């Protein structure tokens, strides 16, 4: 028996949660998305045909992490203050990456801490 898609309202927007079948099928793609930038590209290509909502959600979150990491790398080029922000940002990014990976492995469609909600908005058309 396949579960139906449910919709819940959060604030002023509506978010559709993935079905149990989508989660089971998209778990491997979602996990691959968090394994380096190459894994993100592979997951994006793998999800191109299937359009799995669970995998799409985690691809969005992983893309947000990758771009945030790129921004931290650019900020890290600034002497002293940039280095400090980059070092602190690295540990925050590591925590966010671990949480995102654990959400994908545990079949949870939750935003990663700190910037996950922003990534949902920024990459909603992906």
């Amino acid at each position: 028996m396949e579960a139906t898609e449910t919709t819940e309202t959060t604030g002023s927007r509506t978010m559709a949660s993935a079905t149990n079948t989508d989660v089971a099928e998209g778990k491997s793609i979602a996990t691959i998305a968090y394994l380096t930038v190459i894994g993100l590209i592979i997951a994006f290509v793998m999800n191109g045909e299937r359009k799995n909502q669970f995998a799409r959600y985690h691809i969005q979150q992983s893309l947000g992490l990758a771009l945030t990491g790129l921004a931290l790398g650019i900020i890290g080029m600034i002497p002293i203050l940039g280095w400090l922000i980059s070092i602190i940002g690295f540990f925050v990014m590591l925590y966010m990456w671990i949480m995102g990976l654990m959400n994908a492995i545990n079949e949870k469609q939750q935003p990663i801490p700190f910037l996950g909600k922003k990534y949902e908005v920024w990459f909603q058309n992906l």
Side-chain angles (χ1 to χ4, degrees):
M1 180 184 291
E2 189 174 314
T4 59
E5 190 169 318
T6 59
T7 306
E8 59 185 56
T9 303
T10 309
S12 63
R13 63 190 174 104
T14 304
M15 179 173 39
S17 62
T19 63
N20 290 338
T21 307
D22 281 348
V23 171
E25 291 174 358
K27 180 179 177 181
S28 61
I29 297 173
T31 304
I32 290 170
Y34 288 102
L35 304 177
T36 72
V37 174
I38 295 170
L40 175 62
I41 294 167
I42 291 170
F44 185 77
V45 170
M46 287 176 66
N47 198 43
E49 284 181 15
R50 296 182 189 162
K51 303 289 185 198
N52 185 292
Q53 291 294 70
F54 182 74
R56 178 180 171 267
Y57 180 81
H58 283 286
I59 289 169
Q60 289 174 343
Q61 297 289 301
S62 181
L63 178 62
L65 282 173
L67 293 177
T68 303
L70 179 65
L72 279 174
I74 293 170
I75 290 171
M77 293 181 194
I78 301 169
I80 303 171
L81 183 61
W83 299 338
L84 182 64
I85 292 171
S86 184
I87 290 169
I88 293 169
F90 170 77
F91 288 110
V92 172
M93 287 282 299
L94 181 64
Y95 171 70
M96 290 169 35
W97 175 77
I98 290 170
M99 293 305 295
L101 182 62
M102 294 306 296
N103 285 340
I105 291 171
N106 293 327
E107 301 178 354
K108 295 180 183 175
Q109 190 169 328
Q110 295 177 343
I112 57 176
F114 308 118
L115 294 174
K117 294 276 188 194
K118 291 290 184 188
Y119 297 157
E120 287 176 2
V121 174
W122 293 341
F123 304 118
Q124 66 186 355
N125 295 325
L126 181 67

